Amino acid sequence: MRILVINAGSSSVKLSVFDMPSGEQRFEHEMEKIASVEEAVAAIPALLREKNAAQVDAVGHRVAHGGMKFRDAVTLNAEVMADIKDCVPLAPLHNPPAIAGIAIAAETWPGVPQIAVFDTAFHQAMPARATTYAVPERWRDAGVRRYGFHGTSHQYMMERVAAELAMPASQFRLISCHLGNGASVCAINRGVSVDTSMGMTALEGLVMGTRSGDVDPGVFAYLNRTQALSPAEVEDALYHRSGLAALSGIGNDLRDIERRAAQKDARAELAIDVYAYRARKYIGAYAAAMGGVEALSFTAGIGENSALMRRRICEGLECLGIVLDHDANAAVKLEGFEAPQIQTADSRVKVLVTRTREQWMIARETHRLLSG
Ligand code: AMP
């Protein structure tokens, strides 16, 4: 079965074509800095024709927010589309491009099954103590709760770590760190996501490229009173003008920040320090939440490539049995889907680094759903 995977975001569209169940990738392409999702998706058939990959049997779409409704991937129809549209207020940046991508794909490949795979689905098993904000009941009834994101990536990490340790996921506790431009940590207790750092929206938790992660919610009223900023203006700044970019003053790319920090630039050093400290706090919290941890994994742009950040995050975690082998950490250079271990021989916790495979997971889920 040939499956086209479309991952339509606000500024880029990622495409892949896989033959399933072999998992062989036929085609991959990323359109960056796009003017409109509609135009980018409309250009897909010509791109596929060029590569002799225009004939597809199914299309899998990444959808960021599935709200309370979706615990699993689902075949798209009018009812499901309406439910995904209902989630737009929860993911105003992320769901609209996916919806546009789905609409165009349905026009382009009529009669070909379209499947939605949700970033929130893996976290639907989280217990109420992790999903509940202590806010008025009426707000909770209106959907104010924690959902979590990057579920496809965290689930893949769980499976990849299980394969590498030759142990079923039901036998270990994993803390999975997805550290890209968006970033989250997930506590996976014996195969089940029990907590994750992103909450109702993709703003909570870790410091990210341009997102603040955790801030005191009192910031909204304070800035309104003292600087006449509206909630929408504060929200926009927390999404787009915060995080590593705001702290460093030089942008959201950690490579540039690391270069400046090496020259003792104080803002770059602070950015790295705040980022690592926040991640370390979450790892400590999740070890406590699960009553222990056997494995820690790093993935996505920063997790896969920055030995410095992995080292800074793990500093002080020796008390949890997490001891990095600094040489092994510095030597990581991922080429494929290998998952090197970077802990010392006497570290109680295994520490792994590997590439995430969200596109492949979406193809796999699409194939699984369609083959019953
Ligand atoms: P992602 O969203 O997973 O593509 O991650 C993108 C981010 O990863 C970039 O903005 C960089 O901050 C970071 N990144 C990528 N490569 C490196 C590297 N070699 N060293 C440090 N950070 C990196």
Side-chain angles (χ1 to χ4, degrees):
M1 182 185 290
R2 187 156 290 181
I3 297 174
L4 167 66
V5 176
I6 302 180
N7 182 342
S10 50
S11 62
S12 71
V13 174
K14 234 187 258 174
L15 302 178
S16 312
V17 176
F18 294 94
D19 281 338
M20 300 306 275
S22 76
E24 192 185 332
Q25 184 170 296
R26 292 272 160 187
F27 176 66
E28 184 180 38
H29 184 71
E30 182 161 7
M31 300 180 230
E32 289 178 297
K33 299 203 173 88
I34 53 172
S36 90
V37 181
E38 286 81 358
E39 274 175 34
V41 176
I44 295 176
L47 269 170
L48 295 181
R49 269 197 302 276
E50 259 175 46
K51 301 284 167 194
N52 273 338
Q55 196 60 43
V56 296
D57 302 308
V59 186
H61 297 269
R62 176 191 184 204
V63 180
H65 214 308
M68 292 274 283
K69 249 303 184 343
F70 301 104
R71 300 185 80 86
D72 214 341
V74 63
T75 302
L76 285 153
N77 56 32
E79 198 186 325
V80 171
M81 279 300 275
D83 287 333
I84 294 174
K85 284 181 186 158
D86 285 346
C87 295
V88 167
L90 290 165
L93 295 181
H94 296 98
N95 272 21
I99 290 168
I102 291 165
I104 303 222
E107 265 173 40
T108 311
W109 293 279
V112 169
Q114 313 264 336
I115 308 297
V117 178
F118 298 93
D119 247 19
T120 45
F122 182 58
H123 304 300
Q124 282 288 308
M126 289 198 300
R129 62 173 175 265
T131 60
T132 308
Y133 291 118
V135 297
E137 190 167 11
R138 204 134 59 91
W139 298 7
R140 283 180 272 144
D141 291 344
V144 177
R145 49 156 274 171
R146 310 189 65 253
Y147 297 92
F149 299 88
H150 293 141
T152 308
S153 176
H154 290 305
Q155 184 179 352
Y156 172 74
M157 293 305 285
M158 173 187 82
E159 295 178 13
R160 186 68 192 83
V161 169
E164 196 59 31
L165 301 182
M167 200 192 275
S170 58
Q171 287 181 16
F172 61 88
R173 290 163 293 191
L174 168 68
I175 298 176
S176 162
C177 303
H178 177 111
L179 309 179
N181 227 343
S184 68
V185 189
C186 183
I188 305 174
N189 193 351
R190 300 176 174 93
V192 180
S193 166
V194 291
D195 206 344
T196 191
S197 58
M198 280 179 172
M200 185 180 82
T201 69
L203 203 48
E204 193 178 340
L206 300 179
V207 175
M208 304 178 218
T210 64
R211 286 174 245 169
S212 61
D214 295 334
V215 288
D216 183 334
V219 159
F220 279 82
Y222 174 78
L223 290 172
N224 183 251
R225 274 195 302 273
T226 59
Q227 302 197 26
L229 292 179
S230 69
E233 286 170 321
V234 177
E235 185 189 46
D236 182 57
L238 293 177
Y239 267 109
H240 303 294
R241 293 192 304 286
S242 298
L244 286 174
L247 293 174
S248 69
I250 53 176
N252 64 350
D253 195 319
L254 184 63
R255 284 164 287 204
D256 301 330
I257 299 170
E258 286 185 1
R259 266 192 291 276
R260 287 284 186 90
Q263 298 155 5
K264 299 278 171 241
D265 178 291
R267 290 196 300 175
E269 285 180 327
L270 179 68
I272 292 172
D273 209 22
V274 175
Y275 189 103
Y277 178 65
R278 182 84 53 83
R280 183 156 71 245
K281 277 207 294 189
Y282 268 100
I283 293 169
Y286 288 168
M290 295 192 288
V293 54
E294 282 80 35
L296 173 68
S297 63
F298 289 98
T299 196
I302 292 174
E304 291 163 25
N305 297 302
S306 176
L308 172 88
M309 193 55 88
R310 291 191 300 263
R311 178 166 61 75
R312 292 293 303 273
I313 289 171
C314 291
E315 263 165 22
L317 292 179
E318 295 79 9
C319 61
L320 297 176
I322 297 170
V323 190
L324 273 203
D325 176 328
H326 295 304
D327 292 337
N329 178 46
V332 171
K333 199 155 184 39
L334 299 177
E335 280 175 359
F337 300 108
E338 71 274 25
Q341 296 188 29
I342 56 168
Q343 76 282 355
T344 59
D346 58 354
S347 174
R348 233 177 0 83
V349 177
K350 307 281 191 221
V351 185
L352 298 94
V353 185
T354 196
R355 265 188 207 160
T356 190
R357 291 182 86 185
E358 285 165 301
Q359 300 285 100
W360 176 82
M361 283 290 277
I362 293 169
R364 198 190 71 175
E365 287 300 286
T366 300
H367 178 255
R368 186 180 58 81
L369 197 77
L370 293 173
S371 14

